[in-house]
Amino acid sequence: MKESLELFNEIVEALLKDEQSHPVAEFVPSNELYERLDLNLQDEAVTVDTLKEVLQDLVFKTPRTATNAFFNQLFGGRNDKAVLGDLLSVMLNNSMYTYKAAGPQVGVEKVILRKVCDMIGWDEHSNGTFASGGSMTNFMGMLMARDSKFANVPYDGARNKMTVYTSSESHYSVPKNAAFCGIGRDQVRYIDVDSEGKMNVEHLKSAIIEDISNGYSPVLVNATAGTTVLGAFDDINAISVVCMKYDIWLHVDGAYCGSVLFSKKYKHLIDGVEKVDSFSFNAHKMIGTPLTCSLLLVKDEKHLYDSFSNDASYLYQTDHDEFNLGKTSLQCGRRNDALKFWTLWKSVGTNGLEAIVDTQFELADVARNYIRNHPDYTLYSYDDSISVCFNYKDIPARELCTTLYENSELLVGYGSFENEEFVRLVTINSQNEKRDILNFFKVIEEFVENNENALIKRGSIAK
Ligand SMILES: *Cc1c(COP(=O)(O)O)cnc(C)c1O
């Protein structure tokens, strides 16, 4: 073990050093992958030196998600305390299903869940769990919604005509999960959004009324706190009025930006969250823990047991259900995703988590101000969002993003809304500073200036 830990330290130190001068890894095109790296597996063992060489090469050529040049997706940065917690959970290698197997780590998870439920404003009947990502915590929300409406479905199978409502800007896990739940992808009703990407609640209402009159049973409304492209927040209060009236489960998908719960300044964006039935958020997005760390919170824990508990005499042999977390879990064996979050929370305090969230909005303000003050840019997104969507000199966003990637300049993605395609800068890495955001624009500007020929060749800009 000692030798491997030393090797780990050596490789990590080399990586951290190299990231300083090369925030973007060397670009390895997928069609050259197996030629450029030694990934093949052979019958014979390799020497420690070979292993080290091969591992280091692999690590060095892997996309660098923790640097100030990664703005591609909804995570980024590297929080050392959270990494410490995650490394320890790998060493300990517990499975979270029972107290017997996980011991105090069960307490770590329960303390986080309790604290978050308190912050939402829920009483002692509330509870939650962790799952392997936002798609899965959304899945759990949908299953509980289905079972709370039709308690027979987990036993008889799904025979009812059920419907689900979500905005046209919501995450693709909603239709996938509807398929898994036996509700069906075609029974997902995509509700229109307003000009800022928020769900149109009048349309929601009329869609529900129409479905009911056609003999469908609406089981779930999925509201989004931070839509994947624009970072828009649906109006939870207004949606909850509709859900209450028609007795429909309300889930808030806060995978991206539900962590505004930790910010006094921004939690108004999820006003009304205490009225919902379930709420999920990814600590591996805004909070900045390593992947994955996704929490599901439920106002009434009864639903967790109703949908996920199953007896298993070979597994549950000691302690009360309350400490055997497998009884409320989607999985059987489950890795310890709580310790990294707890280690970070313990070290920086709730105030530190608040600062992490607030910084991202401040960085987004820096980016929007820059864009507004520079006429070569067009802004497509709105305030109170950490997704900053823009175009530069009318260069097609997908060409610009791909060329930047292939030239190892920046990793940033593109998105679209209402027939416009644009670059989507995500200011989710709270370790960035104002100058990193300004540098992002500088890199783009210099790149475009120096690579006009390459961009013309790709057809990205006119001659
Ligand atoms: C990222 C995201 C998800 C999915 O979360 P994963 O952890 O990637 O499965 C769901 N909903 C929204 C709004 C997201 O941004």
Side-chain angles (χ1 to χ4, degrees):
M1 194 70 216
K2 197 161 168 263
E3 190 181 79
S4 290
L5 285 179
E6 276 163 13
L7 185 52
F8 175 83
N9 269 329
E10 232 176 281
I11 293 175
V12 167
E13 269 167 35
L15 173 69
L16 292 176
K17 186 153 177 270
D18 199 62
E19 280 182 352
Q20 298 291 323
S21 46
H22 301 98
V24 183
E26 175 187 332
F27 169 63
V28 181
S30 53
N31 60 358
E32 294 172 19
L33 174 60
Y34 301 112
E35 285 130 55
R36 300 263 292 266
L37 275 91
D38 176 9
L39 298 181
N40 71 311
L41 297 167
Q42 66 293 315
D43 289 340
E44 302 303 324
V46 294
T47 63
V48 177
D49 285 342
T50 304
L51 182 64
K52 184 188 160 187
E53 208 176 294
V54 171
L55 272 177
Q56 177 148 333
D57 190 47
L58 173 60
V59 165
F60 269 55
K61 288 180 177 143
T62 296
R64 299 183 173 180
T65 63
T67 69
N68 65 355
F70 183 83
F71 299 97
N72 199 54
Q73 249 108 33
L74 310 180
F75 67 95
R78 184 186 289 123
N79 220 305
D80 63 301
K81 294 301 184 294
V83 169
L84 170 64
D86 212 11
L87 290 174
L88 288 172
S89 67
V90 170
M91 281 301 294
L92 291 167
N93 199 34
N94 302 102
S95 181
M96 300 303 278
Y97 41 39
T98 62
Y99 188 79
K100 194 176 179 187
Q105 300 298 328
V106 169
V108 164
E109 181 164 314
K110 284 171 68 70
V111 163
I112 294 174
L113 295 168
R114 186 73 261 139
K115 190 96 182 158
V116 174
C117 284
D118 289 348
M119 291 173 77
I120 292 172
W122 285 343
D123 66 16
E124 73 278 8
H125 299 295
S126 58
N127 201 349
T129 185
F130 285 63
S132 59
S135 298
M136 290 298 105
T137 41
N138 285 344
F139 181 36
M140 296 183 84
M142 192 181 287
L143 285 167
M144 289 187 294
R146 182 198 68 181
D147 299 348
S148 76
K149 182 69 83 181
F150 295 108
N152 63 312
V153 167
Y155 300 90
D156 300 341
R159 299 201 187 115
N160 312 69
K161 283 166 64 180
M162 296 177 273
T163 49
V164 162
Y165 305 80
T166 195
S167 89
S168 55
E169 288 293 298
S170 66
H171 191 254
Y172 74 92
S173 56
V174 177
K176 258 171 79 172
N177 291 337
F180 302 163
C181 287
I183 293 171
R185 285 173 188 266
D186 291 348
Q187 311 315 332
V188 176
R189 306 292 185 250
Y190 293 98
I191 306 302
D192 294 343
V193 293
D194 67 13
S195 61
E196 297 189 5
K198 299 169 201 266
M199 188 190 284
N200 175 332
V201 183
E202 282 310 308
H203 183 212
L204 170 67
K205 211 158 140 185
S206 62
I208 290 170
I209 292 170
E210 189 185 331
D211 282 328
I212 292 173
S213 73
N214 288 327
Y216 287 96
S217 298
V219 295
L220 167 74
V221 175
N222 176 80
T224 309
T227 57
T228 308
V229 175
L230 286 184
F233 291 79
D234 290 339
D235 183 342
I236 298 176
N237 274 317
I239 294 170
S240 81
V241 172
V242 178
C243 289
M244 232 101 80
K245 173 154 188 203
Y246 296 99
D247 188 25
I248 306 172
W249 185 284
L250 175 53
H251 173 76
V252 172
D253 171 7
Y256 181 16
C257 296
S259 302
V260 295
L261 180 68
F262 291 90
S263 165
K264 287 188 267 306
K265 192 162 172 200
Y266 294 99
K267 73 176 174 205
H268 70 89
L269 296 168
I270 53 167
D271 266 356
V273 69
E274 72 285 354
K275 295 175 192 156
V276 313
D277 298 287
S278 57
F279 168 63
S280 58
F281 74 97
N282 282 351
H284 69 253
K285 287 185 173 171
M286 282 190 105
I287 300 293
T289 71
L291 278 94
T292 55
C293 190
S294 186
L295 289 82
L296 172 75
L297 297 314
V298 200
K299 185 156 61 187
D300 184 348
E301 67 172 344
K302 160 188 185 301
H303 298 289
L304 273 177
Y305 286 98
D306 285 352
S307 291
F308 302 108
S309 166
N310 209 103
D311 280 329
S313 55
Y314 48 79
L315 181 61
Y316 302 111
Q317 302 182 336
T318 66
D319 302 287
H320 187 259
D321 277 359
E322 192 194 330
F323 281 89
N324 287 330
L325 301 179
K327 289 282 176 91
T328 49
S329 167
L330 189 63
Q331 297 147 258
C332 175
R334 183 163 60 87
R335 92 185 284 286
N336 180 356
D337 286 330
L339 185 57
K340 55 193 159 192
F341 190 8
W342 184 88
T343 308
L344 173 63
W345 199 335
K346 185 85 180 167
S347 84
V348 303
T350 312
N351 294 341
L353 298 184
E354 172 171 44
I356 286 173
V357 171
D358 286 355
T359 300
Q360 294 160 53
F361 284 96
E362 284 156 21
L363 294 175
D365 284 339
V366 169
R368 275 187 296 269
N369 284 338
Y370 185 89
I371 290 167
R372 288 188 175 120
N373 290 325
H374 289 77
D376 284 337
Y377 289 87
T378 318
L379 182 67
Y380 297 92
S381 56
Y382 302 90
D383 289 352
D384 283 348
S385 158
I386 62 163
S387 293
V388 182
C389 303
F390 68 89
N391 275 323
Y392 178 60
K393 290 190 166 174
D394 294 328
I395 302 170
R398 63 176 70 202
E399 303 289 351
L400 182 58
C401 293
T402 305
T403 320
L404 286 163
Y405 162 54
E406 290 175 355
N407 287 274
S408 299
E409 293 281 346
L410 281 175
L411 266 66
V412 62
Y414 56 89
S416 61
F417 179 65
E418 289 183 335
N419 302 321
E420 296 282 1
E421 196 162 80
F422 37 67
V423 180
R424 180 189 58 162
L425 163 65
V426 185
T427 58
I428 200 156
N429 177 358
S430 65
Q431 287 158 344
N432 278 332
E433 294 172 21
K434 183 176 174 179
R435 60 162 185 225
D436 296 304
I437 302 301
L438 298 178
N439 185 58
F440 167 87
F441 293 112
K442 198 168 132 227
V443 170
I444 290 181
E445 288 158 20
E446 286 180 3
F447 181 78
V448 168
E449 194 176 316
N450 298 331
N451 292 272
E452 267 188 76
N453 285 337
L455 287 162
I456 289 170
K457 211 163 128 210
R458 290 186 77 108
S460 318
I461 50 179
K463 213 164 181 157

